[in-house]
PDB file of all heavy atoms in Angstrom:
ATOM      1  N   THR Z 144      52.034  19.372 -11.460  1.00 98.00           N
ATOM      2  CA  THR Z 144      52.498  20.470 -12.304  1.00 98.00           C
ATOM      3  C   THR Z 144      53.367  21.346 -11.389  1.00 98.00           C
ATOM      4  O   THR Z 144      53.847  20.882 -10.374  1.00 98.00           O
ATOM      5  CB  THR Z 144      51.312  21.299 -12.849  1.00 98.00           C
ATOM      6  OG1 THR Z 144      50.713  22.006 -11.740  1.00 98.00           O
ATOM      7  CG2 THR Z 144      50.269  20.406 -13.511  1.00 98.00           C
ATOM      8  N   GLY Z 145      53.575  22.608 -11.730  1.00 98.00           N
ATOM      9  CA  GLY Z 145      54.285  23.478 -10.794  1.00 98.00           C
ATOM     10  C   GLY Z 145      55.585  24.031 -11.345  1.00 98.00           C
ATOM     11  O   GLY Z 145      56.298  24.755 -10.651  1.00 98.00           O
ATOM     12  N   TYR Z 146      55.909  23.689 -12.605  1.00 98.00           N
ATOM     13  CA  TYR Z 146      57.081  24.288 -13.243  1.00 98.00           C
ATOM     14  C   TYR Z 146      56.656  25.186 -14.408  1.00 98.00           C
ATOM     15  O   TYR Z 146      57.455  25.473 -15.297  1.00 98.00           O
ATOM     16  CB  TYR Z 146      58.060  23.208 -13.698  1.00 98.00           C
ATOM     17  CG  TYR Z 146      58.707  22.466 -12.542  1.00 98.00           C
ATOM     18  CD1 TYR Z 146      58.557  21.084 -12.394  1.00 98.00           C
ATOM     19  CD2 TYR Z 146      59.474  23.149 -11.598  1.00 98.00           C
ATOM     20  CE1 TYR Z 146      59.145  20.406 -11.335  1.00 98.00           C
ATOM     21  CE2 TYR Z 146      60.057  22.478 -10.531  1.00 98.00           C
ATOM     22  CZ  TYR Z 146      59.885  21.107 -10.404  1.00 98.00           C
ATOM     23  OH  TYR Z 146      60.477  20.449  -9.354  1.00 98.00           O
ATOM     24  N   GLY Z 147      55.383  25.586 -14.398  1.00 98.00           N
ATOM     25  CA  GLY Z 147      54.882  26.539 -15.389  1.00 98.00           C
ATOM     26  C   GLY Z 147      54.674  27.885 -14.707  1.00 98.00           C
ATOM     27  O   GLY Z 147      55.209  28.905 -15.101  1.00 98.00           O
ATOM     28  N   LEU Z 148      53.863  27.838 -13.633  1.00 98.00           N
ATOM     29  CA  LEU Z 148      53.535  29.027 -12.848  1.00 98.00           C
ATOM     30  C   LEU Z 148      52.887  30.123 -13.689  1.00 98.00           C
ATOM     31  O   LEU Z 148      52.890  31.282 -13.302  1.00 98.00           O
ATOM     32  CB  LEU Z 148      54.762  29.559 -12.089  1.00 98.00           C
ATOM     33  CG  LEU Z 148      55.541  28.525 -11.258  1.00 98.00           C
ATOM     34  CD1 LEU Z 148      56.664  29.218 -10.493  1.00 98.00           C
ATOM     35  CD2 LEU Z 148      54.645  27.767 -10.289  1.00 98.00           C
ATOM     36  N   GLU Z 149      52.413  29.793 -14.840  1.00 97.00           N
ATOM     37  CA  GLU Z 149      51.471  30.642 -15.582  1.00 97.00           C
ATOM     38  C   GLU Z 149      50.546  29.668 -16.282  1.00 97.00           C
ATOM     39  O   GLU Z 149      50.928  28.516 -16.549  1.00 97.00           O
ATOM     40  CB  GLU Z 149      52.171  31.648 -16.514  1.00 97.00           C
ATOM     41  CG  GLU Z 149      53.272  31.087 -17.388  1.00 97.00           C
ATOM     42  CD  GLU Z 149      52.735  30.557 -18.686  1.00 97.00           C
ATOM     43  OE1 GLU Z 149      51.605  30.918 -19.076  1.00 97.00           O
ATOM     44  OE2 GLU Z 149      53.454  29.755 -19.322  1.00 97.00           O
ATOM     45  N   GLU Z 153      51.240  25.610 -17.166  1.00 98.00           N
ATOM     46  CA  GLU Z 153      50.645  24.693 -16.186  1.00 98.00           C
ATOM     47  C   GLU Z 153      49.696  23.713 -16.892  1.00 98.00           C
ATOM     48  O   GLU Z 153      49.690  22.520 -16.596  1.00 98.00           O
ATOM     49  CB  GLU Z 153      49.881  25.480 -15.107  1.00 98.00           C
ATOM     50  CG  GLU Z 153      50.785  26.192 -14.102  1.00 98.00           C
ATOM     51  CD  GLU Z 153      51.518  25.229 -13.182  1.00 98.00           C
ATOM     52  OE1 GLU Z 153      50.884  24.300 -12.660  1.00 98.00           O
ATOM     53  OE2 GLU Z 153      52.737  25.400 -12.989  1.00 98.00           O
ATOM     54  N   THR Z 174      48.132  16.273 -10.088  1.00 98.00           N
ATOM     55  CA  THR Z 174      47.962  17.346  -9.099  1.00 98.00           C
ATOM     56  C   THR Z 174      48.321  18.680  -9.730  1.00 98.00           C
ATOM     57  O   THR Z 174      49.353  18.783 -10.411  1.00 98.00           O
ATOM     58  CB  THR Z 174      48.890  17.098  -7.884  1.00 98.00           C
ATOM     59  OG1 THR Z 174      48.486  15.913  -7.225  1.00 98.00           O
ATOM     60  CG2 THR Z 174      48.848  18.264  -6.896  1.00 98.00           C
ATOM     61  N   PHE Z 175      47.487  19.695  -9.483  1.00 98.00           N
ATOM     62  CA  PHE Z 175      47.797  21.054  -9.937  1.00 98.00           C
ATOM     63  C   PHE Z 175      48.558  21.778  -8.824  1.00 98.00           C
ATOM     64  O   PHE Z 175      48.048  21.966  -7.725  1.00 98.00           O
ATOM     65  CB  PHE Z 175      46.500  21.798 -10.269  1.00 98.00           C
ATOM     66  CG  PHE Z 175      46.717  23.261 -10.563  1.00 98.00           C
ATOM     67  CD1 PHE Z 175      47.404  23.663 -11.706  1.00 98.00           C
ATOM     68  CD2 PHE Z 175      46.263  24.236  -9.678  1.00 98.00           C
ATOM     69  CE1 PHE Z 175      47.624  25.016 -11.969  1.00 98.00           C
ATOM     70  CE2 PHE Z 175      46.476  25.589  -9.937  1.00 98.00           C
ATOM     71  CZ  PHE Z 175      47.159  25.977 -11.086  1.00 98.00           C
ATOM     72  N   LEU Z 176      49.800  22.160  -9.139  1.00 98.00           N
ATOM     73  CA  LEU Z 176      50.655  22.852  -8.156  1.00 98.00           C
ATOM     74  C   LEU Z 176      51.078  24.217  -8.707  1.00 98.00           C
ATOM     75  O   LEU Z 176      52.255  24.559  -8.743  1.00 98.00           O
ATOM     76  CB  LEU Z 176      51.864  21.945  -7.807  1.00 98.00           C
ATOM     77  CG  LEU Z 176      52.903  22.435  -6.800  1.00 98.00           C
ATOM     78  CD1 LEU Z 176      52.306  22.776  -5.439  1.00 98.00           C
ATOM     79  CD2 LEU Z 176      54.027  21.413  -6.621  1.00 98.00           C
ATOM     80  N   GLY Z 177      50.082  24.987  -9.148  1.00 98.00           N
ATOM     81  CA  GLY Z 177      50.372  26.353  -9.622  1.00 98.00           C
ATOM     82  C   GLY Z 177      51.007  27.202  -8.529  1.00 98.00           C
ATOM     83  O   GLY Z 177      51.673  28.199  -8.809  1.00 98.00           O
ATOM     84  N   ALA Z 178      50.819  26.811  -7.267  1.00 98.00           N
ATOM     85  CA  ALA Z 178      51.417  27.536  -6.138  1.00 98.00           C
ATOM     86  C   ALA Z 178      52.646  26.782  -5.634  1.00 98.00           C
ATOM     87  O   ALA Z 178      52.746  26.420  -4.460  1.00 98.00           O
ATOM     88  CB  ALA Z 178      50.391  27.712  -5.039  1.00 98.00           C
ATOM     89  N   HIS Z 179      53.592  26.555  -6.537  1.00 98.00           N
ATOM     90  CA  HIS Z 179      54.844  25.862  -6.182  1.00 98.00           C
ATOM     91  C   HIS Z 179      55.906  26.877  -5.798  1.00 98.00           C
ATOM     92  O   HIS Z 179      56.795  26.605  -4.992  1.00 98.00           O
ATOM     93  CB  HIS Z 179      55.315  25.022  -7.389  1.00 98.00           C
ATOM     94  CG  HIS Z 179      56.391  24.036  -7.072  1.00 98.00           C
ATOM     95  ND1 HIS Z 179      57.116  23.419  -8.066  1.00 98.00           N
ATOM     96  CD2 HIS Z 179      56.873  23.553  -5.909  1.00 98.00           C
ATOM     97  CE1 HIS Z 179      57.993  22.604  -7.509  1.00 98.00           C
ATOM     98  NE2 HIS Z 179      57.870  22.665  -6.206  1.00 98.00           N
ATOM     99  N   ALA Z 180      55.863  28.056  -6.427  1.00 96.00           N
ATOM    100  CA  ALA Z 180      56.824  29.132  -6.137  1.00 96.00           C
ATOM    101  C   ALA Z 180      56.210  30.419  -6.659  1.00 96.00           C
ATOM    102  O   ALA Z 180      55.260  30.382  -7.451  1.00 96.00           O
ATOM    103  CB  ALA Z 180      58.150  28.858  -6.837  1.00 96.00           C
ATOM    104  N   ILE Z 181      56.758  31.552  -6.219  1.00 96.00           N
ATOM    105  CA  ILE Z 181      56.333  32.816  -6.805  1.00 96.00           C
ATOM    106  C   ILE Z 181      57.093  32.953  -8.133  1.00 96.00           C
ATOM    107  O   ILE Z 181      58.319  32.909  -8.134  1.00 96.00           O
ATOM    108  CB  ILE Z 181      56.699  34.012  -5.881  1.00 96.00           C
ATOM    109  CG1 ILE Z 181      56.123  33.813  -4.462  1.00 96.00           C
ATOM    110  CG2 ILE Z 181      56.263  35.336  -6.499  1.00 96.00           C
ATOM    111  CD1 ILE Z 181      54.612  33.828  -4.361  1.00 96.00           C
ATOM    112  N   PRO Z 182      56.381  33.076  -9.258  1.00 96.00           N
ATOM    113  CA  PRO Z 182      57.112  33.175 -10.523  1.00 96.00           C
ATOM    114  C   PRO Z 182      57.966  34.455 -10.557  1.00 96.00           C
ATOM    115  O   PRO Z 182      57.579  35.455  -9.944  1.00 96.00           O
ATOM    116  CB  PRO Z 182      56.006  33.228 -11.581  1.00 96.00           C
ATOM    117  CG  PRO Z 182      54.734  33.483 -10.859  1.00 96.00           C
ATOM    118  CD  PRO Z 182      54.923  33.113  -9.425  1.00 96.00           C
ATOM    119  N   TYR Z 192      50.029  37.357  -7.092  1.00 98.00           N
ATOM    120  CA  TYR Z 192      50.085  36.014  -7.700  1.00 98.00           C
ATOM    121  C   TYR Z 192      49.123  35.063  -6.965  1.00 98.00           C
ATOM    122  O   TYR Z 192      48.404  34.277  -7.588  1.00 98.00           O
ATOM    123  CB  TYR Z 192      51.513  35.453  -7.699  1.00 98.00           C
ATOM    124  CG  TYR Z 192      51.587  34.104  -8.408  1.00 98.00           C
ATOM    125  CD1 TYR Z 192      51.368  34.009  -9.787  1.00 98.00           C
ATOM    126  CD2 TYR Z 192      51.815  32.917  -7.699  1.00 98.00           C
ATOM    127  CE1 TYR Z 192      51.392  32.777 -10.445  1.00 98.00           C
ATOM    128  CE2 TYR Z 192      51.842  31.681  -8.350  1.00 98.00           C
ATOM    129  CZ  TYR Z 192      51.629  31.620  -9.722  1.00 98.00           C
ATOM    130  OH  TYR Z 192      51.642  30.412 -10.359  1.00 98.00           O
ATOM    131  N   VAL Z 196      46.135  32.923  -8.658  1.00 98.00           N
ATOM    132  CA  VAL Z 196      45.932  31.468  -8.570  1.00 98.00           C
ATOM    133  C   VAL Z 196      44.535  31.192  -8.008  1.00 98.00           C
ATOM    134  O   VAL Z 196      43.765  30.408  -8.579  1.00 98.00           O
ATOM    135  CB  VAL Z 196      47.013  30.796  -7.674  1.00 98.00           C
ATOM    136  CG1 VAL Z 196      46.712  29.316  -7.471  1.00 98.00           C
ATOM    137  CG2 VAL Z 196      48.397  30.974  -8.284  1.00 98.00           C
ATOM    138  N   MET Z 200      43.258  31.071 -11.899  1.00 98.00           N
ATOM    139  CA  MET Z 200      43.840  29.819 -12.409  1.00 98.00           C
ATOM    140  C   MET Z 200      43.023  28.587 -12.020  1.00 98.00           C
ATOM    141  O   MET Z 200      42.808  27.702 -12.835  1.00 98.00           O
ATOM    142  CB  MET Z 200      45.252  29.644 -11.868  1.00 98.00           C
ATOM    143  CG  MET Z 200      46.328  30.207 -12.754  1.00 98.00           C
ATOM    144  SD  MET Z 200      47.849  29.534 -12.062  1.00 98.00           S
ATOM    145  CE  MET Z 200      49.040  30.246 -13.062  1.00 98.00           C
ATOM    146  N   LEU Z 201      42.570  28.539 -10.765  1.00 98.00           N
ATOM    147  CA  LEU Z 201      41.860  27.333 -10.315  1.00 98.00           C
ATOM    148  C   LEU Z 201      40.595  27.105 -11.137  1.00 98.00           C
ATOM    149  O   LEU Z 201      40.308  25.981 -11.554  1.00 98.00           O
ATOM    150  CB  LEU Z 201      41.523  27.437  -8.825  1.00 98.00           C
ATOM    151  CG  LEU Z 201      42.710  27.297  -7.868  1.00 98.00           C
ATOM    152  CD1 LEU Z 201      42.283  27.624  -6.433  1.00 98.00           C
ATOM    153  CD2 LEU Z 201      43.290  25.886  -7.924  1.00 98.00           C
ATOM    154  N   VAL Z 220      44.778  19.683  -5.650  1.00 99.00           N
ATOM    155  CA  VAL Z 220      45.445  20.995  -5.652  1.00 99.00           C
ATOM    156  C   VAL Z 220      46.401  21.022  -4.462  1.00 99.00           C
ATOM    157  O   VAL Z 220      46.034  20.650  -3.344  1.00 99.00           O
ATOM    158  CB  VAL Z 220      44.424  22.150  -5.571  1.00 99.00           C
ATOM    159  CG1 VAL Z 220      45.124  23.471  -5.254  1.00 99.00           C
ATOM    160  CG2 VAL Z 220      43.667  22.261  -6.890  1.00 99.00           C
ATOM    161  N   ASP Z 221      47.636  21.425  -4.729  1.00 99.00           N
ATOM    162  CA  ASP Z 221      48.724  21.402  -3.746  1.00 99.00           C
ATOM    163  C   ASP Z 221      49.317  22.806  -3.657  1.00 99.00           C
ATOM    164  O   ASP Z 221      49.240  23.587  -4.619  1.00 99.00           O
ATOM    165  CB  ASP Z 221      49.774  20.390  -4.266  1.00 99.00           C
ATOM    166  CG  ASP Z 221      50.851  20.000  -3.265  1.00 99.00           C
ATOM    167  OD1 ASP Z 221      50.984  20.664  -2.233  1.00 99.00           O
ATOM    168  OD2 ASP Z 221      51.574  19.019  -3.562  1.00 99.00           O
ATOM    169  N   VAL Z 222      49.902  23.142  -2.503  1.00 98.00           N
ATOM    170  CA  VAL Z 222      50.585  24.435  -2.301  1.00 98.00           C
ATOM    171  C   VAL Z 222      51.895  24.157  -1.568  1.00 98.00           C
ATOM    172  O   VAL Z 222      51.923  23.317  -0.656  1.00 98.00           O
ATOM    173  CB  VAL Z 222      49.726  25.392  -1.431  1.00 98.00           C
ATOM    174  CG1 VAL Z 222      50.469  26.702  -1.166  1.00 98.00           C
ATOM    175  CG2 VAL Z 222      48.379  25.685  -2.089  1.00 98.00           C
ATOM    176  N   PHE Z 223      52.965  24.840  -1.965  1.00 98.00           N
ATOM    177  CA  PHE Z 223      54.241  24.752  -1.233  1.00 98.00           C
ATOM    178  C   PHE Z 223      54.225  25.834  -0.152  1.00 98.00           C
ATOM    179  O   PHE Z 223      54.499  27.002  -0.430  1.00 98.00           O
ATOM    180  CB  PHE Z 223      55.398  24.957  -2.215  1.00 98.00           C
ATOM    181  CG  PHE Z 223      56.783  24.772  -1.638  1.00 98.00           C
ATOM    182  CD1 PHE Z 223      57.011  24.063  -0.459  1.00 98.00           C
ATOM    183  CD2 PHE Z 223      57.893  25.291  -2.309  1.00 98.00           C
ATOM    184  CE1 PHE Z 223      58.296  23.887   0.050  1.00 98.00           C
ATOM    185  CE2 PHE Z 223      59.186  25.116  -1.819  1.00 98.00           C
ATOM    186  CZ  PHE Z 223      59.383  24.424  -0.636  1.00 98.00           C
ATOM    187  N   PHE Z 229      55.002  30.152  -0.306  1.00 98.00           N
ATOM    188  CA  PHE Z 229      53.710  30.717   0.101  1.00 98.00           C
ATOM    189  C   PHE Z 229      53.587  30.677   1.622  1.00 98.00           C
ATOM    190  O   PHE Z 229      53.821  29.626   2.225  1.00 98.00           O
ATOM    191  CB  PHE Z 229      52.562  29.950  -0.583  1.00 98.00           C
ATOM    192  CG  PHE Z 229      52.603  30.140  -2.075  1.00 98.00           C
ATOM    193  CD1 PHE Z 229      53.419  29.345  -2.867  1.00 98.00           C
ATOM    194  CD2 PHE Z 229      51.893  31.176  -2.676  1.00 98.00           C
ATOM    195  CE1 PHE Z 229      53.524  29.554  -4.234  1.00 98.00           C
ATOM    196  CE2 PHE Z 229      51.994  31.398  -4.046  1.00 98.00           C
ATOM    197  CZ  PHE Z 229      52.809  30.586  -4.822  1.00 98.00           C
ATOM    198  N   ILE Z 237      44.557  29.986  -1.116  1.00 99.00           N
ATOM    199  CA  ILE Z 237      44.544  29.085  -2.281  1.00 99.00           C
ATOM    200  C   ILE Z 237      43.802  27.783  -1.963  1.00 99.00           C
ATOM    201  O   ILE Z 237      42.936  27.345  -2.733  1.00 99.00           O
ATOM    202  CB  ILE Z 237      45.986  28.798  -2.758  1.00 99.00           C
ATOM    203  CG1 ILE Z 237      46.625  30.104  -3.253  1.00 99.00           C
ATOM    204  CG2 ILE Z 237      46.002  27.742  -3.867  1.00 99.00           C
ATOM    205  CD1 ILE Z 237      48.137  30.061  -3.342  1.00 99.00           C
TER     206      ILE Z 237
END
Side-chain angles (χ1 to χ4, degrees):
T144 69
Y146 292 120
L148 309 184
E149 47 88 19
E153 286 291 314
T174 295
F175 172 68
L176 180 58
H179 193 194
I181 305 294
Y192 184 67
V196 174
M200 268 192 182
L201 288 172
V220 167
D221 192 347
V222 177
F223 185 20
F229 295 84
I237 296 162

